[in-house]
Amino acid sequence: MGLEAIRLGGVEKSFGAVHALAGVDLRVAAGECLGLVGHNGAGKSTLMHILAGTLSPDKGEILLGGRQHETNWSVNVARANGIRCVFQELSLCPNLTVAENVRIVHGNLQGFGWKKRSHDLACAKLDEIFPGHGINANDAISDLAIGKRQMAEIARAFTVTDIPLRLVILDEPTSSLDAVTAQQLLAFVRTQVAKGTSVILISHLLGDILGTCDRIVVMKDGKAIAERPAKGFDRQSLVAAMGTDLTEKKSTVAKSAEAKSAAPIAVRAKPKTADQSGELIAHQGEIIGLAGLSGHGQTRMLLQIYAKAEVEVTAPLAFIAGDRQSDGIFNLWSIAENVTVRSLRALKKHGLISSDAEDGLAAEWKKRMGIRTPDIHNNILTLSGGNQQKALFARALGSEAKIILMDDPMRGVDIGTKLEVYEMIAQEARAGRTFIWYTTEMEELQYCDRAYVFRNGAISATLSREDLTEEKILHASFAESSAA
Amino acid sequence: MSRSLLRSLLPIISLMVVLGATFYVQPRTMSYFGLNLMLQYAVPIALATIAQMFVITVNDLDLSIGPFVGLVGCISATLLYTNPLFGTLVLLLCIAAYAAVGALIHSRNLPSIVVTLGLSFVWVGIAVLILPSPGGKAPDWLKSIMGLQTPLVPLPIIAAIVIGLLVQLALMHSSLGVIARGAGGNPRAMERAGWSMLKTKSIMYALAGFFGLLSGLSLLGLTTSADAHVADRYTLYSIAGVILGGGEFIGGRVSPLGAVIGALTLALAGSFLIFLKISPDWQIGAQGAILILVLALKAPLTTRDVSQ
């Protein structure tokens, strides 16, 4: 390997109880394209945020060109050293034009004539990467289609004014690009690498990774577990490296698959997010998993079912949010109020809400879910995160709903709580409730009767219980290449 | 394309419609003197609207701008009149207070509506302490500036155009204005690009304070004596002016020229209703109706952002 562009040594990062990065060593040579692959929660994006300076590591060192940098690692230090990042969720200001967005990342684009310089810079880079792009640098971002926005952001990352580029990190850069522009980008990455800039490419398109990168690092559970030149991998071995040892974990949940598939249909839906897609069918009493890489349409599927948009639903629905803070809890309310809000209609007496009935329901579910609190009238925020999540489960399960939609509800929940809730779900399913469960964790799929794997908004595979192996899920989650 | 053009023309069309209606009802207003009289209070309203616009640019709302304008009037009619140096110092302190409020709202992640609503009572309280009953005297230089007889075109129109163009240039065309609008468009992206949101918000609030100050001074120049409650309505006017002028509550989409035009429209609508001999009791309601009408026209023209 040639000169070193950047090196991470023993980098660790935790969010509460979750160890996102558990000691990562990563070395990127100058003029190298490094591929980074891994399943959900492997730590790819945390690592990327640390490189970009938007997160600072709890432990470990960052070396630039073999030297320890002097000051605290931050966005501005990273930028001053020529590190740029294209985030998966775009970081453009929609109210500004393409040229103005370029100005934001260059402190020295100011003074007289900055608009023209910024405009020319944007146009030149767009022309270089995406010939025939059809973007006017004076267009506001909000007027551009999503694919063009992504092109604008990629081009912006490669613009240079005073600081030479050291490293550009591309996180799923082709997710909204069509086949032609994706190929243009990958070709550009190769020319850029030849000029000495380093690129880190994160993608679920394994063909792109294999075809573009010099070296591939596989991440799992916050560690870099495999690292080889790209030639040393093929699709099979890459998928195998991402998974665990393929010895199957046997689920403890009793199965009665045949009996369940004979039960009447509870939900029949087809994702609106793709033109061609398989169909999702859930029978009464089934636990259905939605798998695949996060952000590929699973949450939108749940919302579509909840909205009953072109979906056949035979029973009342309840939704358990994964993002507790923004979609789940009412911050100012008590635990009891948070639990009962879904059931207020059933708690009415003479047209008013009966507080006795409310307390009764809350107390019952406090006991059944094992919510740890001395008093259900305490504010919801007095609970730990896991117990708040239990309260959300109690809200759904305590209601009359027969179909429960779950949007990755176990995010950041401790393992003890998880096991309690899994048991609860299995119990309720035996009692005839249907669960549709989006999860980013492989182990949780073991509790499902059937899983649908999502890719680019479509159902790319339907896996019955016997087929539910990590390998098969990974295969269905990662597509061949953007041209495919 | 034509839709966005229509949207940007809507403020000027509304102004023309109200102006036309006023001329139709009261043809005598179609003169230098008539326009001057009708529009003179548009200057402080326009300045307060610009102040509000700076706060709206960073996705906040200032419910204290009206009382703040009143407070500035009270300070200027007493402290600034008797002791110009001390008065100036106090007024600068007011701007610093605004910047501090912006910093507080950002760093503690507080809802701006609640904080500024609370502050509005603080401003009124201080104003009443300084000037318990209406009175005081405007400094002479202020009166002479506001009473200036410009040739051909009345002062309020020139002032509105100058204010609008200057702020338009600073916010829409300067490289720092981009940062300010970006902070409203996608604060996270700005932080990822290494800009301090704390600094941006403090500066925008300070600018709001500065223009609130100008508004208070110009209003005092017209009324010549102060009253703590004289500008209470400005809070609503300023918000309405920004929105009438094509701005949006969130997303950093504002238009300084539009905001000034919106302020002029609101000021004219007041005169128009007087000419229609609508009793003052009904005027606020009627102004509200005009506002709803224009906003209803704007709604179908607003292209929905395909945000992901």
Side-chain angles (χ1 to χ4, degrees), chain A residues 16-28:
Chain A
V18 181
H19 292 284
L21 290 179
V24 173
D25 297 300
L26 189 80
R27 184 178 184 280
V28 185

Side-chain angles (χ1 to χ4, degrees), chain A residues 19 80 132 189 192 231 286 389 416 429 437:
Chain A
H19 292 284
V189 165
Q192 201 64 26
K231 291 185 193 72
E286 276 188 321
Q389 198 62 45
W437 186 356

Side-chain angles (χ1 to χ4, degrees), chain A residues 75 89 91-92 95 100 104, chain B residues 173 175 181 186 192 195 252:
Chain A
V75 183
E89 72 294 6
S91 304
L92 297 168
N95 56 330
E100 287 171 336
I104 284 167
Chain B
H173 297 280
S175 60
R181 283 181 294 132
N186 188 347
R192 280 176 180 176
W195 296 97

Side-chain angles (χ1 to χ4, degrees), chain A residues 49 54 75-76 79 87 89-96 100 103-105 107 109-111 114-115 142 146 149, chain B residues 172-176 178-179 181-182 184-186 188-195 251-253 305-308:
Chain A
H49 276 285
T54 45
V75 183
N76 284 322
R79 296 198 64 83
F87 295 93
E89 72 294 6
L90 299 180
S91 304
L92 297 168
C93 296
N95 56 330
L96 304 182
E100 287 171 336
R103 145 69 184 132
I104 284 167
V105 297
L109 278 178
Q110 55 180 347
W114 71 270
K115 244 183 186 174
S142 56
I146 180 79
R149 291 185 199 189
Chain B
M172 309 306 280
H173 297 280
S174 82
S175 60
L176 285 174
V178 170
I179 306 306
R181 283 181 294 132
N186 188 347
R188 205 164 48 153
M190 297 307 291
E191 285 192 322
R192 280 176 180 176
W195 296 97
R253 282 173 231 270
D305 189 15
V306 206
S307 54
Q308 285 289 311

Side-chain angles (χ1 to χ4, degrees), chain B residues 151-279:
Chain B
L152 297 173
V153 185
L155 176 73
I157 296 178
I158 296 178
I161 292 173
V162 169
I163 296 165
L165 282 179
L166 277 180
V167 181
Q168 180 85 12
L169 205 66
L171 194 62
M172 309 306 280
H173 297 280
S174 82
S175 60
L176 285 174
V178 170
I179 306 306
R181 283 181 294 132
N186 188 347
R188 205 164 48 153
M190 297 307 291
E191 285 192 322
R192 280 176 180 176
W195 296 97
S196 158
M197 277 300 291
L198 181 71
K199 227 158 127 185
T200 313
K201 273 212 169 167
S202 307
I203 292 173
M204 293 306 271
Y205 272 80
L207 282 169
F210 176 68
F211 277 87
L213 180 89
L214 293 184
S215 171
L217 288 175
S218 59
L219 183 59
L220 180 65
L222 292 169
T223 56
T224 67
S225 71
D227 171 9
H229 291 286
V230 69
D232 285 358
R233 275 194 204 173
Y234 278 28
T235 301
L236 199 65
Y237 280 166
S238 65
I239 298 171
V242 173
I243 304 305
L244 264 182
E248 275 165 38
F249 282 117
I250 49 165
R253 282 173 231 270
V254 290
S255 158
L257 272 178
V260 169
I261 293 172
L264 288 180
T265 312
L266 283 171
L268 265 181
S271 310
F272 174 64
L273 293 171
I274 292 172
F275 293 140
L276 282 183
K277 300 202 173 63
I278 290 177
S279 103

